[in-house]
Amino acid sequence: MSINTGTGAPAGHTSLGRGSEQASTICEAFQRTAAVDPDAVALRTVGGTQTLTWQEYADEVRAVAAGLSALGVRRGDTVALMMANRLEFYPLEVGAQHLGATSFSVYNTSSAEQLAHVLANAGAKVVLCEEQYVGLVQSCGVPVQHVVCVDGALTGTITVGELVGLGEPEFDFGAAWQAVEPDDVATLIYTSGTTGEPKGVEMTHASLLYEVDALTDVLPVEFGDRITSFLPSAHIADRVFCLYLHEVLGSQITVVPDARQIAAALHDCRPTIWGAVPRVWEKLKAAIEAGVAAEQDQARRQGLEWALGIAARKAEAELSGVELSEAEQAAYVKADELVLSGLRAKVGLDQVRWTVSGAAPIPKEVLAFFGGLGVPISELWGMSELSCVASVVSPAEHRLGTVGRLLPGMEGRISEDGEFLVRGPLVMKGYRKEPGKTAEAIDGDGWLHTGDVMTMDGDGYLSIVDRKKELIISAAGKNMSPAHIENVMKAACPLIGGIAAIGDRRPYNTALIVLDAETAAAYAAQRGLQDTSAAALVADADVIGRIGAGIAGGNTRLSRSEQVKRFRVLPTFWEPGGDELTLTSKLRRKPIAEKYAIEIDALYADSAGVGVHEPVPAR
């Protein structure tokens, strides 16, 4: 099965990224954007304590470019950044772009070994980083010519002020950015590395501009649209939605240095466009439900519960594919007018035109919950090798359980084994210094082998089954998606922060579970528990009981062969970049299987071992 959306441009565009009114590089796009309304705020912190107008921003970009040029950075050189989501990031990143340098971000949680691999593979000439990472950069074993510390002076580094001071008066800024070519590599995105070392995906100015044009043909962005930046800038989603869309179309960015500030940032920023990974949406859902349950005013709580009950009915109807009756629709309109609109405002999502979820599958229940709340989410699909987003539709066209249709100009087909293949202008240039691996990923006909098993309906809507290499094949030969099983369980129990379904070549499925640190802490506070460590909470009978009830409830939504028969809650939390999760929070399934081999074997023993539990009926 195949689908071809055509190699032409979206309706209304003469040519994606190539028309007479279109910029040919991101640098050119930034220069045009900065001139639209120079006094408008381009960048801000939560609360607006720091801001940069487009004019101030453009001036800083010019100064940074002059300083980097004085350090010897030229077109084609590589500049690395390692810092939190902060205003200073943007002029530094964009300044490097204007020299034709390949500017990219490193995950702040990288170990010395991971950092060494990335800096060596990228060939970084300059590293711009926060004070806390200077020692790691200097000791990782990869020599770089210059380290710029954004927080102040440290031995062996220069400050941003000193960098800017190096700029020469005769530096020809215009000539520098105008020399950048569309096919120059604009950035590198290092893959999660679930198996082997991360690979550096090379993205050109042309492919990123095509991404911006194609994406915004489906999800329009206007100058001044508001969005928060809270994902790591090394994550392709943050780069596209909070850097390149921003440079090309002039969205206003509110930087959020700590992901735990997302709730406050939403209320402060009141975004008009917004997106998050599934775990953030799941936590927002849990926080809303917990807030309603904790409401002290009885009348107000009853009103909230009444409205959310009607919203839940709407969600159930969407999940089952049926329409609400006229009476139910009228009740929903009333609930929205009286309660739900205020709840959206309290959360800070009352002004959004569209929201998206991506990077991993999201439980349908979460999508339905927010749809009922009046915040429809478009689930999208993509990957670093495809410049970020490859398929999505507008909220009005979204179909629950799908990731939309391919963006204009992209072509896709499903191979005999179910793997989805894609080709078109969003496909990466290649993996940095890895011609062999590039050839493995992109065949001679230009098809990128995505590794995702997908299905496609007659209207071109795509649905993700799972990663090709991660499908569970039971001892009885039944093919199952572990991601589907895991999503059902997370939706059934907010206490579950991470879950790994086990069952390949096994007689039945089991699961390793870890608690969600934030939800568990709130639960402990509610019950008056002093010790909120994972070990203490796992020893709490009520915690295990709630998870057991959640697993039992989740099993009712699965086929018999998919159901989880036994589980173990581990006395630890899983953190991104650790043994169990990649830096983008994807499960490292093979390392998990190796690290917890004893615990897994106990799940399949004839008699349950210590810490092994079975689902129990919900209380």
Side-chain angles (χ1 to χ4, degrees):
M1 183 182 294
S2 65
I3 182 170
N4 190 337
T5 63
T7 55
H13 291 246
T14 56
S15 176
L16 284 174
R18 288 293 182 270
S20 59
E21 297 183 1
Q22 297 291 326
S24 62
T25 67
I26 296 169
C27 311
E28 183 182 358
F30 175 83
Q31 291 300 317
R32 293 183 180 185
T33 299
V36 171
D37 186 354
D39 294 328
V41 173
L43 302 163
R44 64 189 295 276
T45 57
V46 176
T49 53
Q50 289 179 273
T51 61
L52 271 184
T53 66
W54 282 101
Q55 184 62 64
E56 292 167 337
Y57 187 5
D59 291 343
E60 290 194 16
V61 165
R62 175 189 289 267
V64 168
L68 289 173
S69 176
L71 287 183
V73 176
R74 299 290 182 266
R75 179 181 164 209
D77 288 338
T78 307
V79 174
L81 298 97
M82 193 173 184
M83 61 187 72
N85 304 60
R86 51 191 289 177
L87 261 64
E88 293 85 350
F89 163 81
Y90 287 85
L92 294 171
E93 164 86 32
V94 179
Q97 285 177 6
H98 277 63
L99 293 176
T102 299
S103 50
F104 79 104
S105 290
V106 178
Y107 281 102
N108 299 339
T109 52
S110 298
S111 66
E113 183 179 0
Q114 292 167 331
L115 181 62
H117 168 76
V118 167
L119 293 181
N121 179 261
K125 191 170 187 176
V126 176
V127 176
L128 305 113
C129 66
E130 294 177 347
E131 179 179 350
Q132 60 183 314
Y133 306 121
V134 168
L136 185 65
V137 171
Q138 292 177 332
S139 64
C140 74
V142 177
V144 294
Q145 292 183 16
H146 303 282
V147 177
V148 180
C149 179
V150 300
D151 298 313
L154 286 180
T155 303
T157 73
I158 63 173
T159 67
V160 174
E162 290 169 337
L163 171 70
V164 169
L166 293 173
E168 299 174 355
E170 62 270 22
F171 171 66
D172 194 336
F173 178 65
W177 69 258
Q178 290 170 20
V180 181
E181 294 289 338
D183 290 331
D184 288 350
V185 177
T187 196
L188 300 170
I189 294 291
Y190 280 86
T191 60
S192 300
T194 54
T195 56
E197 295 283 10
K199 301 182 290 290
V201 177
E202 295 183 321
M203 298 182 189
T204 66
H205 286 258
S207 64
L208 289 169
L209 285 172
Y210 195 100
E211 171 73 270
V212 168
D213 257 17
L215 177 60
T216 55
D217 188 73
V218 178
L219 300 172
V221 175
E222 302 169 359
F223 185 91
D225 265 330
R226 301 184 301 276
I227 191 171
T228 63
S229 170
F230 64 90
L231 290 173
S233 59
H235 196 297
I236 181 58
D238 189 78
R239 287 206 151 248
V240 167
F241 283 91
C242 297
L243 177 60
Y244 303 125
L245 283 181
H246 160 74
E247 290 185 77
V248 177
L249 296 167
S251 54
Q252 182 189 92
I253 308 297
T254 295
V255 293
V256 186
D258 187 338
R260 290 172 295 185
Q261 298 175 336
I262 290 175
L266 282 175
H267 192 268
D268 169 73
C269 170
R270 311 203 86 75
T272 54
I273 57 176
W274 201 67
V277 295
R279 193 61 190 141
V280 171
W281 286 114
E282 291 165 7
K283 288 189 175 186
L284 278 176
K285 174 178 179 290
I288 292 170
E289 292 172 331
V292 171
E295 175 60 52
Q296 296 298 309
D297 185 291
Q298 183 177 357
R300 180 172 173 76
R301 185 174 67 252
Q302 289 176 342
L304 288 167
E305 290 172 346
W306 165 75
L308 284 179
I310 292 174
R313 171 61 189 135
K314 185 175 186 293
E316 289 170 6
E318 188 173 1
L319 283 171
S320 58
V322 301
E323 292 187 6
L324 294 175
S325 66
E326 288 187 14
E328 289 173 324
Q329 184 61 39
Y332 178 77
V333 171
K334 183 177 180 181
D336 186 71
E337 179 183 344
L338 295 177
V339 180
L340 297 179
S341 58
L343 191 54
R344 289 194 298 273
K346 185 175 182 180
V347 174
L349 292 174
D350 54 319
Q351 297 182 30
V352 289
R353 294 200 315 279
W354 53 257
T355 65
V356 295
S357 177
I362 184 171
K364 291 182 180 180
E365 293 80 2
V366 177
L367 293 172
F369 173 85
F370 281 99
L373 191 64
V375 184
I377 302 169
S378 290
E379 188 175 8
L380 56 80
W381 170 80
M383 53 198 304
S384 299
E385 289 86 344
L386 286 168
S387 306
C388 190
V389 181
S391 73
V392 70
V393 292
S394 69
E397 296 180 290
H398 183 62
R399 294 180 183 176
L400 202 63
T402 77
V403 291
R405 297 185 295 259
L406 281 176
L407 291 178
M410 297 302 293
E411 184 180 4
R413 68 182 179 87
I414 297 175
S415 64
E416 291 183 2
D417 62 0
E419 182 179 10
F420 193 55
L421 278 57
V422 187
R423 68 180 175 187
L426 293 180
V427 175
M428 66 175 177
K429 185 173 184 177
Y431 291 123
R432 187 79 156 190
K433 301 177 183 177
E434 297 275 11
K437 291 181 179 178
T438 300
E440 290 176 11
I442 306 172
D443 64 28
D445 294 321
W447 290 103
L448 173 71
H449 292 243
T450 67
D452 283 326
V453 176
M454 304 181 80
T455 60
M456 181 165 49
D457 68 18
D459 295 323
Y461 280 78
L462 298 165
S463 297
I464 300 172
V465 177
D466 210 329
R467 293 292 293 169
K468 180 179 176 180
K469 295 180 180 179
E470 294 182 356
L471 290 175
I472 289 175
I473 304 176
S474 71
K478 174 68 176 178
N479 282 23
M480 293 169 281
S481 163
H484 172 63
I485 296 169
E486 291 154 1
N487 270 337
V488 167
M489 295 308 174
K490 285 193 290 184
C493 184
L495 278 174
I496 296 176
I499 175 171
I502 312 295
D504 198 45
R505 315 299 182 199
R506 304 277 193 170
Y508 53 85
N509 290 337
T510 61
L512 296 175
I513 294 170
V514 293
L515 300 174
D516 177 76
E518 293 178 28
T519 306
Y523 165 81
Q526 184 181 9
R527 293 196 62 224
L529 302 178
Q530 298 301 313
D531 191 345
T532 59
S533 67
L537 292 171
V538 167
D540 185 273
D542 190 64
V543 169
I544 299 301
R546 285 173 181 260
I547 291 178
I551 298 295
N555 278 340
T556 65
R557 306 183 70 89
L558 297 170
S559 68
R560 180 169 297 181
S561 59
E562 292 175 310
Q563 292 175 358
V564 172
K565 305 300 183 185
R566 286 180 170 179
F567 66 91
R568 176 164 186 165
V569 186
L570 301 171
T572 186
F573 297 121
W574 289 347
E575 300 293 340
D579 293 340
E580 299 87 2
L581 301 177
T582 69
L583 291 166
T584 54
S585 296
K586 295 183 176 68
L587 289 175
R588 298 184 188 271
R589 296 191 186 274
K590 186 175 180 180
I592 287 173
E594 294 172 350
K595 182 174 181 176
Y596 299 104
I598 294 175
E599 289 84 352
I600 292 171
D601 287 343
L603 289 168
Y604 291 95
D606 290 338
S607 58
V610 176
V612 172
H613 302 279
E614 297 179 359
V616 296
R619 289 178 286 178

